[in-house]
Amino acid sequence: MLGMVYSCSMKYIKKIRHRRRRGRASTALRFFSVMLVLILGASSLYLFYLDGVVVKKFEGQRWALPSKIYSAPFTLSPGLDIQQIGLVSRLRRLAYHPVAHPVRNPGEFYQSKIGFEIYPHDFEYPDYAETASPVRLSLSDENRINRIIDLSDLSDRDQFLIEPEVIGGFYEAEWEERNLIQLSDLPQSFVEAVIVMEDRRFFDHFGVNLKSIARAAWVNLQAGKVVQGGSTLTQQLVKNFFLGNERTLKRKAREALMALLLERRYSKEEILEAYFNEIYFGQNGIMGIYGVGQGAWFYFEKSPKDLTLGEAALLAGIIRSPNIFSPVQDVFKAVRRRNLVLEVMFAEGKIALEAYISAREEKVIAKVPKQRLNTAPYFTDEIRRQVAGLYPPRVLNAGGLQIFTTLDAELQRIAEKSLRKGLEGLESKDSRLRRSRPEDQLQGALVAIDPKNGAILAMVGGRDYRISQFNRVTDARRQPGSLFKPIVYLAAFEEAATGGSPYTPMSEIDDAPVTLSVGGKAWSPENYDHSYMGSITLRAALERSRNTAVVRLSQELGIDLLVKTARDIGIRSPLKPIPSLALGSVEVTPLEMAIAYGTLANGGVYSPERYLSGIIDPSGLPVDREGHESGEALSRRVVTEEAAFMVTHLMQGVINAGTGSGVRRLGFDRPAAGKTGTTSNLRDAWFIGYTPDLVTVVWVGFDRNQRGALTGASSALPIWTRFMKLASFSEPHDFSVPGGIVLKKVNQKGVLCEKDGVEEAFIVGTEPTQSCDKGILKWFKKLFF
């Protein structure tokens, strides 16, 4: 009985144990099933996420394209001196190269006894596309252009544009210089060279090459770390597009997955085109060279479609390691790598023996990178300020805009050198001007504009941008001193031109002590030399910069008229209607004074300053012209042509015989008008002068407004003259005489005197009628003549 009970008990226990084991197995199965579903779901979600990343990047904006800032194109025309305009240096900066025969290809220039030939590059301007057509410049014995001949049809041209230079740019973390191309733009030799060297099975695999991966895995296993990849071109594109350079198995796995997704969605041709636009080819100063389009331009100064077989092979060879195989780094290694590419292409049957031998014989030139920094940093800062309100930072830094400006790159270089040399010269001559700390050094500013349209041609906002980014041209408000006096004379001549008081250069004003009540206090201005000349003409008063005389004239006219005249011609700073305004007691910027004097040079037509000439997007389409209208469109007449000419005529006397005569002593002999400016305690030194084509302002002083023993004639004038001698490119011509002006010979008393008189300008109706021929002399003339 006990045995039966024991037996039954044991069977029951076994049954329970079996059921428990089956329950545990079922629970484990359910657990693993759930985990498998979760893993598959997470993997699917991850793949879905990766697919979204691929699509978003590949179908959106693929590259952060820097926005480039261009100078103005330079216009060649008959009469220009090719040496003075720095034609060869301009062409070299634009990647032109000299040839020993007449030009045949874009980017070449040729100098011969009969002239100068140029084959320009194609270029997209905001308003039109310039198609390359070679020209010959026929030159005189003085190297001036006589004729411009279009070599395509031997016709004469009035002018010829040299494309603009890149002077700066806006970019994000790195300036990635990239010229986007289409696959059809590439020579087949380059495509085949890259494929045979980087991924021979590109057109056969589905994004990854399992054989290459297995080979790389074995090498990495032996090394104990990741030292070799088995990446296809698609994987390389994924790494550059979406991932970093980290060498881990996790990153490699993600790279492979994204390569599979990329190949599933896009064609081989689309992938290959993106790859060719992404390849890194090395550095050019601060700019990274990316894509075949930019690589071909950087290394060979040509479009990819024009590459020779040897050049295509060299570019293909650089891809593996630009820091080793670039001719910038080592020409010999670059040649060996190129030859290896050619050998592989020949062995694969991609090129014939004759082509292989010919390509190996091509000469490789050591490429010297250009350290591309902002050519005009103060100016480009102003450009950013100008366009910041038009475009958000993302568009500016990565939208690939081409921003065309008014700057003349050669004038900018002349301006920077003139200011730097001038300040150094002043310090070397006068120890009182020297400072030990760079931030305390003597400072200066120079701005040059085209008076016809207000275009900024050169802008130097300080001595050294690296030390101080403060732009003294646009933001430094300083007293202009005597620079303000011509505005008083302009108001007087405008009165005469519009039927008011008939002021002439020979009108007399008293240069004597004067005391005025200002705010209940007596104000007694003095002349710079503390002397007085008595009754003098308006011409003499301006030429010799007499303070008391101009104060008296301003009182005759009224300070309110002076304020209005200053506003009309371009002064925007606050102007207090006080007597000392005639002596420049207000604070203005150099740019304001340049625009004001530009109105005089432009015959009384005001043109606001202009920085921009147009903006286009990466596809070459103009964008948002609002905000950068042409200077001509915004120009307006603010004073009569006659009044403006009268002031110009008087300021020609300032340069020829007055306080600005140092201009002539220093060798500037073109027709010009100008005025010196010196403030009290010799803190600010100015000189503004202009020819019919160019207005230039120079200011010299200390940022902290220290006394500096500075005068306009000794400090600013030499810098102005140095610049203008180098910057005046065209043939000299005089200021045009308006129809309402008559020129008469008069003596010192303003009496007509044909024999001994000096030519003077008068507004019609104000000219003298009295003759110096009187009495017995007049009777004898009538009797015998």
Side-chain angles (χ1 to χ4, degrees), residues 258-322:
M258 294 181 82
L260 293 170
L261 292 170
L262 192 65
E263 293 253 3
R264 185 179 70 86
R265 281 192 171 271
Y266 302 102
S267 68
K268 291 287 187 179
E269 288 73 22
E270 288 176 295
I271 293 170
L272 202 55
E273 181 173 292
Y275 175 81
F276 285 139
N277 280 311
E278 177 62 26
I279 308 169
Y280 174 65
F281 281 101
Q283 287 291 130
N284 182 17
I286 64 172
M287 296 190 303
I289 306 302
Y290 288 85
V292 182
Q294 196 60 36
W297 180 256
F298 175 65
Y299 288 106
F300 307 112
E301 297 172 358
K302 60 174 63 174
S303 170
K305 68 178 186 297
D306 298 322
L307 291 173
T308 66
L309 175 58
E311 292 166 344
L314 190 142
L315 270 187
I318 290 174
I319 295 172
R320 181 65 57 87
S321 182

Side-chain angles (χ1 to χ4, degrees), residues 678-689:
T678 305
T679 59
S680 57
N681 295 320
L682 309 181
R683 287 187 171 93
D684 298 277
W686 298 79
F687 191 81
I688 301 184

Side-chain angles (χ1 to χ4, degrees), residues 509-513 527 531-536 541 546-549 552:
I509 196 79
D510 200 13
D511 179 31
N527 290 321
S531 68
Y532 302 93
M533 302 175 66
S535 182
I536 59 173
R546 309 307 289 178
N547 291 341
T548 56
R552 277 193 167 84

Side-chain angles (χ1 to χ4, degrees), residues 232-268:
T232 62
L233 289 186
T234 310
Q235 288 175 274
Q236 292 180 42
L237 177 61
V238 166
K239 182 190 73 172
N240 294 332
F241 242 31
F242 309 102
L243 309 173
N245 291 317
E246 181 187 11
R247 288 196 149 196
T248 64
L249 291 174
K250 179 181 177 181
R251 201 271 295 160
K252 290 294 292 183
R254 189 180 187 193
E255 175 188 293
L257 287 173
M258 294 181 82
L260 293 170
L261 292 170
L262 192 65
E263 293 253 3
R264 185 179 70 86
R265 281 192 171 271
Y266 302 102
S267 68
K268 291 287 187 179

Side-chain angles (χ1 to χ4, degrees), residues 179-214:
N179 182 16
L180 300 181
I181 52 91
Q182 295 180 340
L183 189 61
S184 58
D185 295 330
L186 297 175
Q188 188 62 26
S189 58
F190 176 77
V191 176
E192 290 177 343
V194 172
I195 289 176
V196 298
M197 294 302 294
E198 299 295 324
D199 187 359
R200 296 184 186 184
R201 299 189 64 247
F202 174 74
F203 287 102
D204 299 324
H205 61 64
F206 44 85
V208 295
N209 187 335
L210 296 178
K211 289 183 179 180
S212 296
I213 291 175

Side-chain angles (χ1 to χ4, degrees), residues 76 79-90 111 116 137 139-145 410 414 726 728-729:
L76 293 178
L80 289 181
D81 184 330
I82 67 167
Q83 290 186 340
Q84 190 168 14
I85 65 175
L87 179 58
V88 172
S89 63
R90 286 179 188 266
Q111 291 178 275
F116 195 110
L137 310 178
L139 304 176
S140 69
D141 293 337
E142 295 81 25
N143 283 312
R144 290 194 178 276
I145 300 173
E410 190 68 20
I414 295 170
L726 296 171
S728 300
F729 298 149

Side-chain angles (χ1 to χ4, degrees), residues 664-684:
R664 299 304 186 208
R665 290 195 298 272
L666 291 172
F668 187 72
D669 56 4
R670 288 172 173 253
K675 186 71 186 73
T676 55
T678 305
T679 59
S680 57
N681 295 320
L682 309 181
R683 287 187 171 93
D684 298 277

Side-chain angles (χ1 to χ4, degrees), residues 69-76 87 89-97 105-109 118-126 128-133 135 157 160-167 297 301 402 404-405 407-410 413:
I69 304 173
Y70 287 89
S71 70
F74 187 75
T75 303
L76 293 178
L87 179 58
S89 63
R90 286 179 188 266
L91 293 175
R92 287 187 181 277
R93 289 196 301 270
L94 288 165
Y96 285 77
H97 56 277
N105 302 299
E108 296 178 345
F109 68 90
I118 305 172
Y119 203 132
H121 303 111
D122 290 343
F123 198 85
E124 292 278 347
Y125 291 95
Y128 66 98
E130 182 76 25
T131 303
S133 179
V135 298
R157 297 178 61 168
F160 170 69
L161 284 184
I162 296 178
E163 64 265 31
E165 302 177 32
V166 176
I167 60 172
W297 180 256
E301 297 172 358
Q402 291 178 278
F404 293 86
T405 73
L407 193 87
D408 184 305
E410 190 68 20
R413 287 173 174 81

